[in-house]
Amino acid sequence: MTTEAPAGGTPLQESHFPATSLQESGFPATPDEPVGSHSRIRVVAGHLALGVVGLLCAFPIYWLYATSLRAPGDVLSLSPFPWPLSLANYATAFRVLDIGGLLFNTTVMAVFVALGQLLTGLLAGYAFAAWEFPGKKLLYLAFVATWLVPFQVTMLPNYVLLSQLGVLNTIAGVVLPSLCTALAVILLRQHVQAFPTELLEAARLDGRGSWSTLWTVVVPNLRPALAALGILLFVNAWNEYFWPALVLQRSNAVLQLGLRSFMGTEGNDWGPMMATAGMACLPVLLLYLVLQRQIVNGFVRSGLK
């Protein structure tokens, strides 16, 4: 079969066209098939995969609260749904522990640790990013290196120092060695380095000092990053167990240590323990639900994945 050629030309043979079909070239087989159908299928499959992963991550939390709501005799049951529902485990937890006092102490400890780490990280990050001084790179590498040192290396010197200061078995003993963290210094230095230098120069030309520039120019523009980092530091301090257990040896001053009251040589009382753990998780979950926008924005701007 031939096709008509243009004027002055030769007939075109069908063999001159490529032998590959439209399907092989990646185009839809028929005009009725939408072009973006494959991309939509991939999007739906990706959302389904993320949903499955989310359910797997949330299942331990669900099991925690499901166990806490079972009747005392059904705590070890493998039924996925706690029925009949019972608040006996929560009643036992409130009877054994001063839940209100422990929540207050834990909140005070976590807030002071987070604020201290946020303040020292802001000051150090601003100095490393905006100032030039001898030994700047070496000192910054020293800060980074402290992040790589295991906690067990500094645990004993810190404990001896707290003993000499007489602050063992106090909330202050838990807070003082934790007032600085390399994580805050690294992240805030990264944010300040990305800050427009023109604004810093304009503030300097207006007669502002470094301290005034930090609080009136830099900090207002770093609110999303500071909020996200502050929440992260608060959650880390809230979940801390080992250091408070070492400093507060003779007391259950924070909620995480209160869990020890339900551990014994003859076995663990799982019902009240799960109820206490559930109450310890609630403030962090509520904090995330309220401030999740700031957390996501801060992580995106800092380059975290």
Side-chain angles (χ1 to χ4, degrees):
M1 177 179 178
T2 61
T3 58
E4 294 185 6
T10 59
L12 297 177
Q13 300 294 329
E14 187 176 6
S15 59
H16 289 180
F17 293 97
T20 57
S21 63
L22 289 175
Q23 292 88 341
E24 293 175 348
S25 62
F27 291 97
T30 62
D32 296 334
E33 182 180 355
V35 176
S37 60
H38 294 293
S39 61
R40 284 197 295 268
I41 292 175
R42 287 194 295 267
V43 170
V44 172
H47 281 80
L48 289 176
L50 290 176
V52 172
V53 173
L55 289 175
L56 292 176
C57 294
F59 181 76
I61 301 175
Y62 166 77
W63 195 260
L64 167 71
Y65 288 103
T67 303
S68 67
L69 291 172
R70 299 183 193 275
D74 299 332
V75 170
L76 300 181
S77 173
L78 298 180
S79 173
F81 304 105
W83 192 262
L85 297 178
S86 174
L87 297 178
N89 294 320
Y90 289 89
T92 303
F94 275 96
R95 185 176 65 252
V96 174
L97 299 174
D98 180 14
I99 299 296
L102 295 182
L103 280 173
F104 177 78
N105 292 339
T106 309
T107 303
V108 170
M109 182 266 295
V111 167
F112 274 98
V113 170
L115 289 179
Q117 293 178 350
L118 201 61
L119 178 61
T120 56
L122 177 63
L123 296 178
Y126 177 69
F128 284 128
W131 291 0
E132 293 295 336
F133 52 88
K136 171 183 173 180
K137 293 184 178 180
L138 183 61
L139 186 58
Y140 178 71
L141 290 177
F143 265 92
V144 176
T146 61
W147 199 19
L148 306 177
V149 177
F151 171 74
Q152 289 76 9
V153 175
T154 60
M155 173 184 65
L156 186 58
N158 285 335
Y159 184 85
V160 173
L161 178 60
L162 293 178
S163 177
Q164 294 174 349
L165 294 175
V167 291
L168 287 179
N169 295 299
T170 63
I171 299 297
V174 180
V175 173
L176 287 176
S178 306
L179 290 179
C180 182
T181 175
L183 174 63
V185 176
I186 294 172
L187 290 183
L188 291 177
R189 173 183 177 269
Q190 177 181 343
H191 281 287
V192 176
Q193 278 186 329
F195 196 81
T197 56
E198 293 81 4
L199 293 179
L200 299 180
E201 290 295 330
R204 184 178 63 82
L205 293 176
D206 287 342
R208 296 178 184 270
S210 297
W211 187 259
S212 177
T213 302
L214 172 63
W215 294 108
T216 60
V217 179
V218 177
V219 171
N221 290 278
L222 292 183
R223 286 178 181 174
L226 292 173
L229 180 59
I231 294 169
L232 179 63
L233 297 175
F234 176 85
V235 172
N236 287 339
W238 182 277
N239 293 331
E240 184 63 39
Y241 175 81
F242 186 77
W243 179 243
L246 184 65
V247 176
L248 306 172
Q249 293 182 0
R250 295 190 297 272
S251 64
N252 294 330
V254 294
L255 195 58
Q256 287 72 16
L257 300 185
L259 297 173
R260 300 184 301 188
S261 302
F262 305 108
M263 300 178 182
T265 56
E266 298 180 357
N268 299 332
D269 197 352
W270 291 108
M273 184 185 296
M274 294 298 104
T276 306
M279 287 185 284
C281 294
L282 280 178
V284 175
L285 293 176
L286 293 176
L287 182 67
Y288 179 80
L289 290 176
V290 173
L291 301 176
Q292 58 180 331
R293 184 183 299 274
Q294 286 79 1
I295 297 175
V296 174
N297 289 341
F299 285 171
V300 169
R301 294 190 180 188
S302 64
L304 293 178
K305 304 295 183 183

